[in-house]
Amino acid sequence: RNELEKLTTEEIYAKLKQIVPDTDVDPRNRNRVMRMIERIHDGDSAVPTKEKRYESLRLGVSWPRDVLGQRIDERLERRLQEGMIEEVQGLMDRGATTEFLLGLGLEYRFITQYLLGEMGREEMLSKLAIAIKQFAKRQMTWFRRNPDIVWLDMAGDYMSQACEAVEKFLKEE
């Protein structure tokens, strides 16, 4: 690890590509690239490649944008009613560092900022809802690049769509 820390992410990835030309590790994810080289160095033979290990059926759910936005808002409201703010306050009271809480995820980040007085409650709620929706959009962009995912239209008869996809998948096996 000490040797790898001295290199740029690109140099570390080039080392990994020399060892495993067909690697499936994200070249921009420094920690994963380093960890993969460490695993190989330690004799781990289960190195991920682009080659599929198993045939699997992947189902994705697709909501109309307005419905997805409403579902996100409802989930956020439910999480707050269930004590999310109190949970973060409790973590702070028990000594969790600001850096730790800011690194946990969107809800923890915004609630921590609110509890530290960096923004008011309404501003926190508004910015958090926007950030979650932006994250959901990035997730969908990332998942839609995968041609193996069968997308279920949740506004339609998704159960029939899923059953049809499963039957087709099983026939192909």
Side-chain angles (χ1 to χ4, degrees):
R1 168 126 339 208
N2 288 337
E3 288 177 32
L4 295 175
E5 288 287 358
K6 297 173 188 172
L7 303 174
T8 66
T9 303
E10 293 78 20
E11 291 169 332
I12 299 168
Y13 186 72
K15 278 176 113 37
L16 178 61
K17 287 293 279 185
Q18 287 175 342
I19 302 166
V20 185
D22 192 31
T23 184
D24 197 23
V25 176
D26 179 359
R28 296 173 308 253
N29 189 327
R30 182 179 179 88
N31 289 333
R32 286 199 181 160
V33 173
M34 287 175 61
R35 184 67 190 122
M36 186 55 52
I37 291 176
E38 290 173 338
R39 286 176 54 193
I40 294 166
H41 180 267
D42 292 342
D44 188 344
S45 61
V47 179
T49 66
K50 293 178 183 172
E51 185 177 316
K52 292 181 183 179
R53 282 173 135 182
Y54 308 101
E55 288 299 320
S56 62
L57 173 62
R58 296 179 183 186
L59 301 175
V61 297
S62 180
W63 295 95
R65 189 174 303 246
D66 60 327
V67 174
L68 178 60
Q70 180 182 350
R71 289 175 58 88
I72 289 170
D73 290 339
E74 289 170 359
R75 178 187 172 276
L76 177 57
E77 181 61 34
R78 191 171 51 250
R79 296 271 289 150
L80 293 171
Q81 288 175 1
E82 291 171 351
M84 182 84 185
I85 294 174
E86 294 78 7
E87 176 187 338
V88 176
Q89 183 65 62
L91 291 169
M92 293 171 85
D93 293 345
R94 289 191 297 281
T97 66
T98 301
E99 294 76 24
F100 173 75
L101 291 169
L102 293 175
L104 286 180
L106 291 173
E107 292 167 334
Y108 289 90
R109 181 179 317 139
F110 281 87
I111 291 172
T112 298
Q113 291 172 329
Y114 160 68
L115 291 173
L116 292 173
E118 295 175 8
M119 65 178 79
R121 182 180 173 90
E122 291 307 314
E123 181 184 8
M124 179 268 296
L125 293 174
S126 173
K127 286 184 173 182
L128 178 54
I130 290 168
I132 293 171
K133 290 169 188 165
Q134 289 171 338
F135 184 75
K137 184 177 179 181
R138 286 192 306 275
Q139 281 182 318
M140 288 305 297
T141 299
W142 189 83
F143 280 116
R144 289 214 188 273
R145 291 185 310 189
N146 186 335
D148 296 331
I149 296 176
V150 176
W151 290 99
L152 306 178
D153 178 8
M154 299 304 285
D157 185 4
Y158 60 88
M159 188 61 76
S160 293
Q161 296 168 40
C163 290
E164 184 180 316
V166 169
E167 288 176 21
K168 181 179 176 188
F169 175 77
L170 292 174
K171 286 180 184 174
E172 292 174 0
E173 288 296 303

